[in-house]
């Protein structure tokens, strides 16, 4: 879980630390309403979101593997197994996002730019369904349910 910084601004040491984020989590972060796999997972995701709001220029490394959000997921062990169906489905979601954003895995960009990019590149229903179609949270996700981007 991220710890709250006592300093502010993107120039602070905490504000400039690069976070590893699964590419599909760029959607999840924007649609989160407080639901999750466990209370610890929900608290961690809230902390990540709060941190990104406080430091919108924080660099993010966009990946297709476990990230700072996954760290507190009760299913993390299963998702780290390469042959797991869940792991494969999540990686597929990440790779679709990476392809739609026209970036390479491991690309580092500021959080606000990453959110702007995903909202401009995943703007039509077929793209969104390609990424989120199998997600169990889509009916509770504000980003998924949003009609206009």
């Amino acid at each position: 879980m991220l710890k709250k910084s006592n300093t502010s601004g993107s120039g602070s040491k905490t504000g400039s630390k690069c976070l590893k984020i699964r590419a599909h989590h760029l959607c999840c972060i924007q649609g989160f309403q407080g639901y999750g796999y466990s209370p610890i997972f929900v608290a961690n995701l809230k902390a990540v979101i709060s941190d990104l709001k406080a430091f919108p220029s924080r660099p993010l490394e966009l990946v297709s593997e476990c990230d700072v959000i996954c760290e507190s997921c009760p299913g993390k062990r299963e998702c780290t197994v390469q042959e797991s169906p869940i792991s494969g489905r999540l990686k597929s979601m990440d790779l679709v996002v990476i392809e739609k954003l026209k970036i390479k895995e491991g690309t580092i960009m500021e959080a606000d730019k990453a959110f702007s990019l995903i909202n401009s590149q995943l703007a039509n229903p077929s793209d969104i369904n390609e990424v989120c179609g199998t997600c169990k949270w889509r009916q509770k996700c504000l980003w998924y349910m949003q009609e206009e981007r």
Side-chain angles (χ1 to χ4, degrees):
M1 185 183 303
L2 294 176
K3 293 193 166 127
K4 195 157 185 112
S5 170
N6 291 333
T7 59
S8 61
S10 61
S12 74
K13 192 172 188 176
T14 301
S16 61
K17 181 182 175 199
C18 186
L19 293 181
K20 185 184 287 192
I21 296 287
R22 294 191 84 119
H24 86 267
H25 280 164
L26 294 174
C27 306
C28 305
I29 288 167
Q30 296 180 87
F32 179 70
Q33 293 193 72
Y35 301 102
Y37 303 105
S38 71
I40 292 169
F41 175 85
V42 169
N44 182 55
L45 184 47
K46 284 180 179 179
V48 170
I49 291 168
S50 178
D51 182 79
L52 293 175
K53 285 181 180 177
F55 302 104
S57 61
R58 176 183 297 288
L60 303 178
E61 179 184 3
L62 302 177
V63 299
S64 66
E65 60 191 32
C66 284
D67 65 4
V68 68
I69 294 170
C70 298
E71 288 298 318
S72 61
C73 182
K76 180 185 173 199
R77 186 176 188 284
E78 185 173 348
C79 285
T80 57
V81 177
Q82 294 295 336
E83 308 304 317
S84 160
I86 292 172
S87 177
R89 184 172 47 84
L90 295 174
K91 185 172 188 77
S92 175
M93 292 167 72
D94 295 322
L95 294 174
V96 168
V97 169
I98 287 167
E99 177 186 328
K100 300 275 182 202
L101 298 183
K102 298 175 175 77
I103 61 171
K104 292 181 180 181
E105 183 168 358
T107 294
I108 296 173
M109 66 176 64
E110 292 179 352
D112 55 351
K113 291 182 178 150
F115 291 120
S116 178
L117 183 62
I118 197 158
N119 290 331
S120 67
Q121 296 299 314
L122 270 73
N124 69 58
S126 65
D127 288 339
I128 294 164
N129 277 323
E130 192 175 345
V131 174
C132 308
T134 61
C135 178
K136 74 184 237 176
W137 299 106
R138 73 181 182 274
Q139 298 306 320
K140 296 181 189 252
C141 175
L142 293 174
W143 189 85
Y144 178 83
M145 294 186 296
Q146 186 177 339
E147 291 187 25
E148 295 180 25
R149 292 204 201 305

